[in-house]
Amino acid sequence: QVQLVESGGGSVQAGGSLRLSCADFRSTYGRLCMGWFRQAPGKEREGIATLDSVGTATYADSVKGRFTISSDNAKTYLQMNSLQPDDTAMYYCAANWGRYCLGMRRNDFPFWGQGTQVTVSS
C-alpha cells in the first residue's frame, strides 16, 4: 500500500507560481511511478505530469514549459509557473508500483492523495 498526502495549494494571481508537494508513505520497499493530475469543476480528471523511478518526466501539452515535476526520494513536487485561470482545479498526487510509468491515464494509478485546491485569479 502507498499513502499520499498533498500540500501547497492555495490562491494566486495570474502569472504567479505555486509549488505542490506530495509525501508518500509506503508499506513496503519498492520503486514508484509518481503522477500529478488535476480536475476542474465539471471536467474529467486529467493527467498533467509523471515521473518514473529513473527520473524521466513527461508532461501534458497544457502544462509543458510551465510546470516541472521532481522528487527528492522523500517527496514529489510540482513546480507551477506562469499560472493562468484555466489552471484552477483540484490537484491530486498519484502513484503506482514500478520502475517506469505505464502512462498518464487515471487507470494507470491505483494510489491517490486527497487533493489540494489551486485557484488562479485573473
Side-chain angles (χ1 to χ4, degrees):
Q1 278 290 74
V2 180
Q3 290 186 312
L4 303 171
V5 180
E6 303 101 331
S7 60
S11 297
V12 65
Q13 290 192 323
S17 298
L18 282 173
R19 188 175 81 153
L20 306 182
S21 298
C22 173
D24 70 82
F25 303 93
R26 311 176 197 189
S27 61
T28 184
Y29 174 79
R31 297 178 184 268
L32 288 176
C33 159
M34 302 300 298
W36 283 100
F37 287 69
R38 67 185 181 185
Q39 188 167 16
K43 293 189 176 181
E44 295 288 319
R45 189 172 299 188
E46 64 166 334
I48 55 176
T50 63
L51 182 68
D52 67 21
S53 66
V54 297
T56 302
T58 59
Y59 299 94
D61 288 343
S62 57
V63 305
K64 199 172 294 183
R66 300 188 299 125
F67 291 10
T68 302
I69 187 171
S70 63
S71 173
D72 64 4
N73 292 324
K75 290 186 177 181
T76 301
Y77 304 96
L78 186 69
Q79 178 67 42
M80 306 185 294
N81 298 328
S82 301
L83 284 162
Q84 299 301 317
D86 283 349
D87 296 315
T88 295
M90 185 72 79
Y91 282 71
Y92 297 90
C93 178
N96 193 11
W97 295 112
R99 181 180 179 91
Y100 302 107
C101 295
L102 300 175
M104 205 181 290
R105 298 167 297 236
R106 186 171 181 172
N107 288 343
D108 292 327
F109 294 87
F111 305 112
W112 293 85
Q114 80 288 352
T116 186
Q117 178 67 38
V118 171
T119 302
V120 185
S121 58
S122 57

